[in-house]
Amino acid sequence: MSPEPLPPVAPDVLAEAVEQLSARLRKKLDAAIEGCAERAARAADGSLDVRFGEDALVTLRPGPSGAVTEAGQAVCTCLLAPRCLHRAAVLGAAPLADAEGEAETGAETGAKGEGAADTDAVPESPEPTTGSPDPTRADAATPGPAPEPSEATPPTPAQVRAATALWEAAAEALAAGVTAGGAVVQAELLRAAHTARLAGLPRAEAAALRVVRGLRAARERGRGQRLGDLAGAFRDLLSGAAPLASGTAGPGLAPARRTYGQGGSLRVYGLCREPVLSATGYGGVATHLVGPDGSRYTISDVRPGGLSRARGAGSASVALGGAVLDHAGLARGGLRIVGATVSPDGRLGAGRGVNATPLRGLDWSEEPAAALFAGPVGEAVAAALDAGAREGDAPEAALLGCDVEVVGAAGEYLVARVAGGGPLLRLRPAHPHPELPHAANLRRIAEHPGLVLRVLGRPDLDRAATLRPLAVGPVPGEPYTLRLPEEWLGRADLGYDRLQGSHFPRAAADSGPLAPVDAVSDPLADAPLWRVRRLLETGVAGGRRAVAEAGRGADATALLAPLRRAGLGGAAQLAEALTAEADRRPRDAFGRLTDASADGYARAWLASAVHLAAAERSLVAASWS
């Protein structure tokens, strides 16, 4: 009989259970957590039991949401309960429940390509997505802007205290690393995250939960876990907490949760749809729309169900104001929405009083969709990189459109050149799952060198000149381009539609010589910045001691010399300062540490990580020019 899965546990419940343990029991917690999930069994009353010997039985009774959200929902029969090791171990073995901020901010992130499985669960917000009103209509109401802190408004004292606690917990977790970042270290982060939530810092709370999940996955050697993702989570958490703790936070660091404003009457037209699939069992679809003024919108349908729901949701009905369209029809059609509710990031909401009427769809060659393919790609990517640098943990880049000429396949990606003498791009699947047709469609396109395509996708801001296409279509006036059915309205959604041989032209391409596939340069991979990245990831994995070892003797020379030869003196200086700080452990005459704080080490690590991110952004921007 297979064990029952443990229900999710609220972070503050787990943190409180660990805090109640004595110092002696805390040392045994990590060992006690191992094997708890395998002993879970369903009781006759529907609760979940985990037995520890003859005298200890832990019982979990989740609330209506399916998660353990109160301390009384987890009880143990031993004499030490509720301050017992058994109860804390079972809670520590259970998955973390999603924070409210996470549930509201990530539902439409969609397929993230490689590493998408590493993302957090993204249950959909009760009210879908938003946008701005149609200014061309007299009956359009202007939604009130979402409240945002101004530069002159500092954080409240409660927020400063919460951010300070979060910084200190994150610094200790970073100094410990994955090897020593067990349940006790994670509980300190969870308690600080709960304090941040109570102080009105949902983004800081979500960043802390991402770090805890990353630590858990790394310690469990999760198949999809990457140290680079965990290092990025630490960077986002520390860089967000530092200005808040100092009382100098700027706008966006302490944002309000998503609010929906009345958008009056809107007209929106479908662009494409993309599957949404998360590692925690959520699946669905996000349909991208555009307004007459170029404003971007999305309608998401994401619920538990995983891959099967992600595939089926592409043709599910649109839950918006009684609309009779499904997502497949909306992606090639349009809607006139009366009483629209819209959020600051473009989500259209399905609140009361919303009515939707279908409209004729527009071809990509018609305005306003045509404007997406008119601008220089380099400028659009540079703007997306700047927005990501300002926001820190900003969502993925906005959709980018361009016309390309296929060069051919190169390993796991397709090489194409932007029309008009633009840069060579790597086209990678928007989602690598083999059951989704992204990769198969790109492989079929690669069989036709010289093919001219109109591509709509999302630039990968972590890779040089890389685009993850969501949809493709023919280029008007080009003889060697796609031949799509009329009902497809000039585009194919790569996550749902499957390109066939009849969709490609039969005649050979009549074009000049194409650049060889192996001529694609990668300035990000060629630069020795990977040495800094490896140093930072070494610190995440092994903690402060591992960074100190990497800065001694021949290892220091191998790290710093190539950086200086490449003209990356700033990166070398920060890396040297990081290794020196990691090795700085002042002691008194009796061998006792005189400064056990991890604050200096965390600041040195953060400085190097922020510099590395800025340098990589510059190289990525240059690759698109």
Side-chain angles (χ1 to χ4, degrees):
M1 184 175 180
S2 59
E4 292 285 336
L6 293 173
V9 173
D12 57 302
V13 174
L14 173 57
E16 183 182 8
V18 175
E19 186 181 29
Q20 291 178 342
L21 296 179
S22 65
R24 180 180 61 85
L25 293 179
R26 289 189 183 189
K27 295 178 181 179
K28 301 179 180 181
L29 181 57
D30 288 327
I33 287 176
E34 297 180 4
C36 283
E38 286 73 18
R39 298 197 297 270
R42 184 69 61 182
D45 60 354
S47 61
L48 207 65
D49 293 340
V50 181
R51 182 168 291 282
F52 292 82
E54 297 181 358
D55 300 327
L57 179 67
V58 178
T59 301
L60 301 180
R61 293 185 175 87
S65 64
V68 176
T69 57
E70 298 178 5
Q73 295 171 349
V75 297
C76 181
T77 59
C78 77
L79 296 177
L80 292 178
R83 303 173 181 270
C84 64
L85 181 64
H86 315 111
R87 178 173 175 271
V90 173
L91 293 175
L96 287 177
D98 289 319
E100 291 180 8
E102 289 182 301
E104 292 177 357
T105 56
E108 82 281 22
T109 55
K112 290 182 180 267
E114 294 178 1
D118 303 336
T119 60
D120 298 325
V122 284
E124 186 180 345
S125 171
E127 296 192 26
T129 49
T130 121
S132 56
D134 181 358
T136 63
R137 299 197 52 86
D139 56 346
T142 303
E148 289 190 8
S150 65
E151 295 186 14
T153 305
T156 66
Q159 290 176 333
V160 171
R161 290 192 297 270
T164 301
L166 199 55
W167 167 272
E168 293 173 351
E172 292 295 338
L174 180 64
V178 171
T179 54
V184 175
V185 172
Q186 296 169 25
E188 292 298 325
L189 269 172
L190 294 177
R191 174 160 291 281
H194 181 62
T195 304
R197 175 183 178 182
L198 297 179
L201 299 174
R203 180 177 294 179
E205 179 202 15
L209 295 187
R210 287 196 296 272
V211 169
V212 173
R213 289 195 177 100
L215 285 172
R216 284 187 166 193
R219 288 177 63 83
E220 296 168 1
R221 292 175 172 82
R223 183 175 56 183
Q225 174 62 25
R226 298 186 303 176
L227 278 178
D229 296 331
L230 182 53
F234 266 113
R235 184 190 67 234
D236 292 341
L237 175 56
L238 291 170
S239 61
L244 284 168
S246 65
T248 60
L253 287 174
R257 287 189 171 93
R258 177 178 293 110
T259 57
Y260 287 82
Q262 290 297 324
S265 178
L266 298 176
R267 282 181 291 141
V268 293
Y269 302 95
L271 293 173
C272 66
R273 55 196 164 133
E274 66 170 317
V276 178
L277 185 62
S278 80
T280 48
Y282 286 87
V285 64
T287 299
H288 299 273
L289 310 152
V290 63
D293 61 345
S295 301
R296 312 287 181 85
Y297 305 85
T298 54
I299 294 179
S300 301
D301 183 4
V302 183
R303 293 185 179 87
L307 176 64
S308 61
R309 191 170 197 289
R311 292 191 297 185
S315 56
S317 298
V318 176
L320 182 68
V324 297
L325 287 176
D326 57 18
H327 281 272
L330 179 58
R332 296 181 172 94
L335 287 176
R336 182 183 184 273
I337 308 172
V338 178
T341 57
V342 293
S343 72
D345 61 355
R347 289 191 175 198
L348 291 174
R352 295 180 180 178
V354 178
N355 295 305
T357 305
L359 296 175
R360 180 187 71 87
L362 299 178
D363 190 271
W364 279 356
S365 60
E366 302 178 64
E367 294 293 346
L372 296 173
F373 305 90
V377 293
E379 295 181 5
V381 172
L385 289 167
D386 290 342
R390 289 193 303 269
E391 296 296 329
D393 58 346
E396 291 175 301
L399 297 186
L400 171 67
C402 59
D403 295 346
V404 301
E405 184 178 12
V406 175
V407 176
E412 59 184 6
Y413 54 84
L414 169 66
V415 178
R417 181 178 292 279
V418 177
L424 285 173
L425 302 183
R426 299 164 184 80
L427 304 185
R428 291 180 177 268
H431 202 297
H433 199 288
E435 296 296 325
L436 296 175
H438 289 286
N441 283 329
L442 289 184
R443 284 194 298 268
R444 185 171 284 275
I445 292 173
E447 298 172 357
H448 298 79
L451 184 71
V452 181
L453 295 172
R454 180 156 285 180
V455 180
L456 183 65
R458 187 176 285 113
D460 189 336
L461 303 182
D462 295 327
R463 298 176 183 268
T466 300
L467 183 68
R468 299 191 181 274
L470 301 177
V472 296
V475 178
E478 290 289 342
Y480 193 61
T481 188
L482 290 174
R483 304 285 189 265
L484 299 179
E486 291 185 4
E487 60 268 22
W488 286 15
L489 203 65
R491 64 262 205 180
D493 295 327
L494 297 181
Y496 290 102
D497 302 321
R498 290 188 179 271
L499 295 175
Q500 307 295 331
S502 60
H503 298 152
F504 294 89
R506 297 181 179 179
D510 183 16
S511 61
L514 298 174
V517 176
D518 58 2
V520 183
S521 62
D522 190 345
L524 197 59
D526 297 339
L529 288 171
W530 63 267
R531 299 176 183 274
V532 180
R533 190 182 312 112
R534 185 173 66 179
L535 176 66
L536 296 174
E537 293 175 2
T538 296
V540 169
R544 180 173 187 164
R545 181 176 299 180
V547 174
E549 292 292 338
R552 294 173 183 163
D555 291 338
T557 302
L559 168 66
L560 302 176
L563 292 171
R564 293 194 172 105
R565 285 197 300 267
L568 299 170
Q573 183 178 359
L574 290 172
E576 187 176 21
L578 172 59
T579 56
E581 180 62 32
D583 202 25
R584 189 185 68 85
R585 306 286 281 175
R587 298 180 182 272
D588 60 17
F590 299 98
R592 296 171 299 191
L593 285 174
T594 58
D595 183 11
S597 172
D599 184 78
Y601 170 74
R603 293 187 183 280
W605 188 94
L606 179 60
S608 188
V610 170
H611 181 275
L612 173 65
E616 290 180 336
R617 282 196 303 270
S618 298
L619 293 174
V620 169
S623 69
W624 283 83
S625 60

